[in-house]
Amino acid sequence: MENTIERESGSMVDGALADADYLEVIMRNSLDSSDDEDESKGSSFFTDFIVHHDGPFYLSWWTLIALLSLISAIVTPLAMAFLEDREGDNLEISFDVLFYIDIIMTFFVSLETHGLRITEHRVLARKYLTTYFAVDILSIFPFERVVDGPYLSLLQLFRLLRLRRFFPLLTAMEKSRLFNYFVVSFLKYVMMMTFNTHWAACIFYEFARQEGFGENTWVGASAIGLENESLGTRYTTSLYFAVTTFTTVGYGDFAPQNVQERAWAVLYMMTNLGITSYLIGQITFLVSRPDSKVGQWREHLDDIAKFLRRSQVPKGLQRKVLGFLQLQESLKFARGQEAMDVLPAAVRMKIRCARFHDMINSIDIFHGVSANFGENLLAYVKEELFMAGMKKIQRGDYGC
């Protein structure tokens, strides 16, 4: 019976995860562990060199790293362009050490996929190595200490890749009932605009600094002596240049003067076309449609979670139920049931044959049947999702 469940559940989940290693571990965990074991796993920090992603230690560490990545995204360009004596080095070194530790720790952090916990080291390592490992290495590599030359200081901007650790925190806040969905989403779009202009301001000033603030730079042509002003004055002037470019106002008081500045201005303005269109569309939709599908789905999920808690359902079962609902939502478009209904019957049959023919042939009782029988059987096949490990009782089983 357990082997049958493993095959059936695995076939349903395979389309969503597309990862044989995940399926292997998920099904083993779901069939061999109970709700009580799930709760005991979440209650400790480390078990056999595993850091549990939902434990208080890692949640605190994850939040710390997310906030540090946000600070790094602000400080790194600022130090590159405006702190010629590298006043920010000590801070950056401290950040680098913490990010080194985080990379090592990530190899041992458990994962949860649709309510099921994954703790096998081989799967965790492979998942990290094939996703964000290369990005994280680029984000901590000390380019400024390895290479030296004109404009190579811009390689420090690879540290901005650390922001990929901050976005999941915003996503979690959007989905959490503890935060207002409208406020968090609006804050996210404002931050995108702020980072965009902040980075551009630092890059504009760095280009002028690389050319010694000569007459062939925007500083030497339109803001003579700016390099001798205070940090606040230099940054505000550069930010003003970046904002007028971002908003396409262009008062004309500042303009790129050399090839490098013009090339960066062209790239910046072309990129802003897409960014501005996206931000305007998202903010307009957010203001005019505050009851978006994401918000409605979050409220629906929160209502179910509240009901499960009021009913004193075990936490392990709560996670599985909520994970199953999230799986249903994530596969709503992938399954394409609504799109299938509008297709001709002959086309629907060919699609079903392509998707389920091998599955039907793998079932013992259908070995040796004719091709026509298999095609007729597929006409009645209906795709359903089941929680992994759930025992499906059919008529005739257990005396029913």
Side-chain angles (χ1 to χ4, degrees):
M1 181 63 182
E2 289 188 353
N3 292 335
T4 302
I5 295 173
E6 182 168 349
R7 287 198 300 269
E8 293 175 350
S9 301
S11 64
M12 292 298 102
V13 182
D14 184 65
L17 300 178
D19 191 323
D21 292 324
Y22 270 107
L23 290 176
E24 175 187 347
V25 178
I26 284 175
M27 296 310 306
R28 182 163 61 251
N29 288 348
S30 62
L31 292 173
D32 296 341
S33 62
S34 64
D35 295 341
D36 294 337
E37 291 174 340
D38 286 339
E39 293 188 46
S40 65
K41 288 179 182 178
S43 61
S44 61
F45 291 167
F46 300 91
T47 302
D48 296 331
F49 302 104
I50 286 293
V51 182
H52 295 294
H53 66 278
D54 55 355
F57 166 76
Y58 186 71
L59 289 178
S60 301
W61 175 264
W62 176 67
T63 304
L64 173 64
I65 292 297
L67 294 178
L68 290 181
S69 68
L70 180 65
I71 297 173
S72 180
I74 298 173
V75 173
T76 296
L78 195 67
M80 174 194 71
F82 295 97
L83 303 180
E84 293 86 352
D85 55 355
R86 310 305 298 162
E87 296 172 7
D89 267 357
N90 292 334
L91 181 62
E92 289 180 2
I93 292 174
S94 301
F95 283 10
D96 288 345
V97 170
L98 293 175
F99 282 112
Y100 282 129
I101 296 173
D102 184 69
I103 287 178
I104 297 173
M105 185 183 299
T106 303
F107 282 99
F108 303 95
V109 176
S110 65
L111 296 174
E112 185 162 340
T113 302
H114 305 301
L116 298 174
R117 187 182 302 269
I118 300 173
T119 58
E120 187 170 326
H121 289 119
R122 177 177 60 86
V123 179
L124 297 177
R126 178 178 297 180
K127 180 66 176 177
Y128 184 43
L129 288 173
T130 56
T131 52
Y132 293 114
F133 179 73
V135 175
D136 290 342
I137 291 297
L138 280 176
S139 71
I140 63 172
F141 191 81
F143 288 100
E144 70 280 4
R145 295 178 176 85
V146 176
V147 295
D148 187 21
Y151 296 99
L152 291 180
S153 59
L154 294 173
L155 292 175
Q156 299 176 54
L157 296 180
F158 274 112
R159 285 194 174 94
L160 301 183
L161 294 173
R162 295 172 179 175
L163 268 182
R164 74 97 182 162
R165 301 166 185 268
F166 179 72
F167 292 132
L169 179 61
L170 283 180
T171 301
M173 292 172 63
E174 283 183 321
K175 294 181 178 180
S176 173
R177 69 181 188 279
L178 301 177
F179 302 92
N180 184 278
Y181 175 77
F182 175 85
V183 173
V184 174
S185 298
F186 187 78
L187 176 63
K188 178 175 67 176
Y189 301 134
V190 171
M191 288 178 61
M192 290 178 64
M193 290 187 290
T194 302
F195 277 126
N196 187 357
T197 52
H198 170 68
W199 296 338
C202 296
I203 294 174
F204 272 127
Y205 192 84
E206 176 65 9
F207 276 120
R209 190 177 70 86
Q210 289 289 335
E211 296 296 327
F213 304 105
E215 294 182 356
N216 64 330
T217 66
W218 69 273
V219 173
S222 306
I224 299 175
L226 179 64
E227 67 274 16
N228 299 319
E229 300 291 339
S230 65
L231 174 61
T233 301
R234 288 181 288 153
Y235 177 74
T236 303
T237 305
S238 299
L239 183 63
Y240 168 78
F241 185 17
V243 171
T244 54
T245 306
F246 175 76
T247 57
T248 68
V249 173
Y251 289 115
D253 45 359
F254 295 115
Q257 300 296 319
N258 55 50
V259 174
Q260 293 84 354
E261 291 178 354
R262 292 191 183 101
W264 164 243
V266 169
L267 177 62
Y268 181 52
M269 288 185 286
M270 294 293 290
T271 305
N272 284 340
L273 290 176
I275 295 176
T276 303
S277 301
Y278 171 78
L279 291 175
I280 292 176
Q282 291 297 318
I283 293 176
T284 301
F285 181 81
L286 185 65
V287 174
S288 61
R289 294 279 306 276
D291 56 340
S292 65
K293 291 183 178 180
V294 176
Q296 291 178 351
W297 165 245
R298 192 187 71 166
E299 292 179 1
H300 174 66
L301 205 63
D302 286 344
D303 290 340
I304 296 176
K306 291 177 183 177
F307 170 76
L308 294 175
R309 285 195 297 270
R310 286 199 304 268
S311 303
Q312 297 182 347
V313 175
K315 292 183 178 180
L317 182 56
Q318 288 184 35
R319 288 197 301 269
K320 289 184 178 181
V321 171
L322 296 177
F324 175 69
L325 294 175
Q326 292 172 344
L327 174 63
Q328 281 187 318
E329 178 69 12
S330 64
L331 293 183
K332 181 172 60 177
F333 296 103
R335 294 171 65 190
Q337 293 298 326
E338 296 179 0
M340 286 280 290
D341 293 338
V342 302
L343 297 176
V347 177
R348 292 201 301 270
M349 176 61 69
K350 291 183 178 180
I351 294 176
R352 286 196 178 99
C353 287
R355 295 185 64 195
F356 303 118
H357 184 267
D358 293 339
M359 185 187 302
I360 294 296
N361 289 338
S362 66
I363 301 176
D364 295 340
I365 62 174
F366 295 124
H367 283 176
V369 301
S370 65
N372 289 334
F373 177 83
E375 292 180 359
N376 291 331
L377 178 64
L378 288 173
Y380 298 95
V381 168
K382 180 181 178 182
E383 184 178 2
E384 295 186 14
L385 296 176
F386 298 92
M387 289 170 50
M390 184 175 66
K391 298 180 180 179
K392 299 177 284 294
I393 302 176
Q394 300 181 8
R395 183 172 298 178
D397 294 340
Y398 302 102
C400 295

